[in-house]
């Protein structure tokens, strides 16, 4: 089995018998595959550019089972490119949810925290380093479009 992962988010937590290969660009996947693979799993797919879609198509056309995981929405609640295009091009998709950090219900969003406070909507979309932290939340934890004044459930 092969797993690729974009290093911008750090190490992937995997079973010890799975091999993870860190790459920066989707095209690099072709440098690390061989015919002995059962599938190719791509973690943190939202951090790749739109070429990930074509790479996945080519891999599927070559007979590989391709599994992609990634956030479909960014911390602002907006579509996280290239995920909408990747989902549209897929043969099937399954949406999984973490538990909300505030109430335990299925989380539909990811809240970025900066020094324990919700990030501002105008903060950069992707932050490679810093004290930022992410937590899964339900959509009612933050007011629609108002990331400066969150409504947190107790």
């Amino acid at each position: 089995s092969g797993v690729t992962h974009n290093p911008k988010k750090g190490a992937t937590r995997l079973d010890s018998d799975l091999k993870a290969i860190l790459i920066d660009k989707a095209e690099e996947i072709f440098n690390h595959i061989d015919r002995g693979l059962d599938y190719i799993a791509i973690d943190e797919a939202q951090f790749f550019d739109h070429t990930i879609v074509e790479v996945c198509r080519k891999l599927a056309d070559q007979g590989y089972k391709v599994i992609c995981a990634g956030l479909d929405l960014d911390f602002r609640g907006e579509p996280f490119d290239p995920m909408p295009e990747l989902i549209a091009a897929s043969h099937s998709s399954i949406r999984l949810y973490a538990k909300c950090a505030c109430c335990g219900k299925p989380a539909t969003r990811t809240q970025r925290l900066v020094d324990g406070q919700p990030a501002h909507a105008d903060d950069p979309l992707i932050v490679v380093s810093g004290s930022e932290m992410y937590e899964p939340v339900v959509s009612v934890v933050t007011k629609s479009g108002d990331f400066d004044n969150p409504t947190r459930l107790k």
Side-chain angles (χ1 to χ4, degrees), residues 92-108:
S92 66
S93 66
I94 300 171
R95 194 170 210 197
L96 302 175
Y97 300 94
K99 288 184 180 180
C100 176
C102 298
C103 68
K105 293 181 182 177
T108 57

Side-chain angles (χ1 to χ4, degrees), residues 5 26-28 36 49 52-53 55-56 58-60 93 99 119 136 139 144 146:
H5 175 75
E27 303 87 12
E28 294 176 36
D49 63 20
I52 189 67
V53 178
V55 167
C56 289
K58 287 180 181 178
L59 290 168
S93 66
K99 288 184 180 180
S139 60
S144 178
D146 186 359

Side-chain angles (χ1 to χ4, degrees), residues 6-100:
N6 187 313
K8 292 180 177 158
K9 279 294 282 179
T12 303
R13 289 170 280 181
L14 299 169
D15 292 335
S16 61
D17 63 339
L18 296 178
K19 181 180 178 185
I21 300 167
L22 302 177
I23 61 173
D24 290 314
K25 296 181 180 180
E27 303 87 12
E28 294 176 36
I29 292 171
F30 295 111
N31 299 330
H32 300 283
I33 58 173
D34 63 54
R35 281 284 161 206
L37 298 177
D38 298 324
Y39 60 88
I40 297 170
I42 302 168
D43 194 18
E44 305 286 8
Q46 76 274 9
F47 291 121
F48 291 103
D49 63 20
H50 286 274
T51 59
I52 189 67
V53 178
E54 188 58 31
V55 167
C56 289
R57 281 187 184 128
K58 287 180 181 178
L59 290 168
D61 289 346
Q62 292 175 16
Y64 292 103
K65 296 175 188 171
V66 181
I67 302 168
C68 294
L71 298 175
D72 60 344
L73 299 175
D74 62 26
F75 78 96
R76 298 175 186 124
E78 299 292 325
F80 208 144
D81 286 331
M83 295 306 290
E85 186 179 356
L86 192 58
I87 292 167
S90 69
H91 293 275
S92 66
S93 66
I94 300 171
R95 194 170 210 197
L96 302 175
Y97 300 94
K99 288 184 180 180
C100 176

Side-chain angles (χ1 to χ4, degrees), residues 124-143:
L125 181 61
I126 298 172
V127 178
V128 178
S129 63
S131 61
E132 288 74 24
M133 179 177 131
Y134 294 86
E135 66 180 9
V137 294
V138 296
S139 60
V140 296
V141 172
T142 57
K143 295 178 185 175

